[in-house]
């Protein structure tokens, strides 16, 4: 009798946390639909949803706010799930798309998209995330190649230090490209680098939605593999995990998730790092619960920050990434102070 009860009680907390976070995301999304520089009452939003809104109300909800809310949720989920996978594969809590330099690699190719493809009129909703993925996977391959030592296991610390160095190099190269842009392109590039939800158009969301959902479910399906890898490579091999194949598959999924999110949402550095940390503290290290929890936390963080920037007037149009950095940095410092 004791074992089933303890199993049941062990499931109650994670499931409860996931349900609570889902409700919070829904509540914030509803609030975000109601508030902004043009306020709508809950009754007006309801009228729009049931098809009885005015032309102006339909424009505000369906063309301006709903796509931005959807983008915030998808970008937050993509960055957090990517961070979960990277931390699980490298067994290091500091691993994330930002610290490994992958976001910077994706960003460099996004800038190339702005300067070369967009300038020549080759605008395609599918082209941007694909280019960002190419940039991210190129950065990842370079980092692994530079950190690789023959006859030795890859050092997570060495990978992160190499990623930080490569990220700085990509940042410098991106700055050189940015300086050659015209004023409009420069403003866009600057806001993207800080973290700005620019791709709030249904044509971009229709590309990002299957990208995040399919890869997210793939990662969740591989949650037991990530759990086994956390026990060490030898133990994982003993449990029947094909290390090289699973590592490559999960690494590609993580790079694709972060690249797609970075392409349309900008470089939200802290979300991919903090989301998994907070999830681990709330539901424990089991990736079956940690991945959906981190995804919901990432969605909630970006959605709250974006709603704040659209609602609160501070004398300037502040990018969402700035608000996230301001509010998340103290928590990150707290985590560092508590770590061994």
């Amino acid at each position: 009798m004791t074992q089933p009860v303890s199993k049941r009680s062990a499931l109650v907390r994670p499931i409860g946390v996931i349900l609570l976070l889902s409700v919070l995301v829904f509540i914030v999304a509803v609030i975000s639909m109601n508030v902004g520089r043009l306020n709508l009452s809950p009754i007006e939003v309801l009228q729009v949803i049931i098809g009885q809104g005015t032309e102006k109300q339909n424009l505000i909800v369906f063309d301006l706010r709903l796509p931005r809310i959807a983008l915030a949720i998808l970008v937050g989920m993509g960055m957090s799930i990517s961070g979960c996978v990277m931390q699980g594969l490298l067994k290091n809590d500091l691993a994330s798309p930002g610290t490994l330099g992958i976001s910077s690699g994706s960003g460099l190719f996004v800038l190339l998209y702005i300067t070369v493809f967009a300038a020549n009129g080759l605008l395609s909703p599918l082209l941007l995330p694909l280019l960002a993925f190419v940039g991210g996977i190129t950065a990842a391959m370079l980092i692994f190649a530079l950190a690789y030592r023959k006859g030795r296991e890859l050092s997570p610390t060495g990978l992160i230090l190499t990623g930080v160095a490569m990220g700085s190099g990509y940042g410098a190269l991106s700055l050189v490209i940015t300086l050659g842009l015209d004023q409009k392109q420069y403003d866009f590039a600057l806001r993207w680098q800080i973290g700005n939800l620019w791709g709030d158009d249904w044509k971009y969301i229709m590309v990002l939605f299957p990208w995040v959902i399919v890869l997210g479910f793939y990662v969740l399906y591989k949650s037991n593999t990530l759990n086994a890898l956390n026990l060490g490579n030898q133990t994982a091999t003993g449990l029947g995990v094909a290390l090289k194949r699973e590592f490559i598959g999960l690494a590609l999924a993580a790079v694709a998730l972060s690249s797609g999110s970075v392409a349309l949402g900008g470089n939200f550095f802290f979300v991919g790092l903090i989301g998994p940390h907070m999830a681990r503290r709330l539901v424990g290290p089991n990736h079956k619960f940690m991945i959906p929890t981190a995804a919901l936390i990432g969605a909630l963080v970006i959605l709250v920050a974006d709603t704040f920037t659209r609602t609160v007037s501070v004398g300037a149009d502040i990018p969402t990434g700035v608000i996230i950095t301001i509010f998340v940095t103290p928590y990150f410092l707290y985590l560092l102070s508590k770590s061994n």
Side-chain angles (χ1 to χ4, degrees), residues 33-184:
M33 273 192 283
N34 285 274
V35 299
R37 291 179 176 85
L38 293 170
N39 284 333
L40 294 176
S41 68
I43 299 297
E44 288 174 324
V45 172
L46 182 61
Q47 286 175 337
V48 171
I49 292 172
I50 63 176
Q52 296 181 1
T54 64
E55 189 176 339
K56 181 182 176 182
Q57 290 169 348
N58 288 336
L59 176 69
I60 292 170
V61 173
F62 288 125
D63 293 344
L64 298 177
R65 290 186 184 165
L66 263 182
R68 195 169 179 89
I69 290 167
L71 181 63
I73 291 171
L74 288 172
V75 168
M77 292 175 73
M79 291 299 289
S80 289
I81 295 172
S82 178
C84 267
V85 174
M86 291 179 184
Q87 290 179 15
L89 289 178
L90 300 181
K91 306 175 193 67
N92 192 304
D93 293 347
L94 288 177
S96 75
T99 53
L100 287 171
I102 292 167
S103 295
S104 300
S106 298
L108 178 61
F109 276 66
V110 169
L111 282 177
L112 291 174
Y113 172 87
I114 297 167
T115 55
V116 179
F117 294 95
N120 293 320
L122 298 174
L123 292 167
S124 167
L126 188 60
L127 185 61
L128 182 55
L130 284 176
L131 276 174
F133 175 68
V134 171
I137 202 66
T138 303
M141 289 171 67
L142 278 172
I143 291 160
F144 276 90
L146 290 170
Y148 176 74
R149 296 291 181 272
K150 192 174 180 179
R152 297 185 194 174
E153 282 190 11
L154 281 171
S155 165
T157 306
L159 274 172
I160 290 171
L161 290 174
T162 305
V164 170
M166 289 296 295
S168 300
Y170 281 123
L173 193 54
S174 298
L175 180 60
V176 171
I177 296 172
T178 303
L179 293 174
L181 301 177
D182 60 38
Q183 188 60 46
K184 186 178 178 181

Side-chain angles (χ1 to χ4, degrees), residues 61-77 124-129 197-214 260-261 263-265 303 306:
V61 173
F62 288 125
D63 293 344
L64 298 177
R65 290 186 184 165
L66 263 182
R68 195 169 179 89
I69 290 167
L71 181 63
I73 291 171
L74 288 172
V75 168
M77 292 175 73
S124 167
L126 188 60
L127 185 61
L128 182 55
L197 293 168
W198 74 272
D200 53 348
D201 190 298
W202 287 117
K203 65 182 180 183
Y204 290 112
I205 291 163
M206 289 300 104
V207 172
L208 186 61
F209 178 78
W211 188 286
V212 171
I213 298 302
V214 170
S261 303
L264 299 179
L303 192 54
D306 187 60

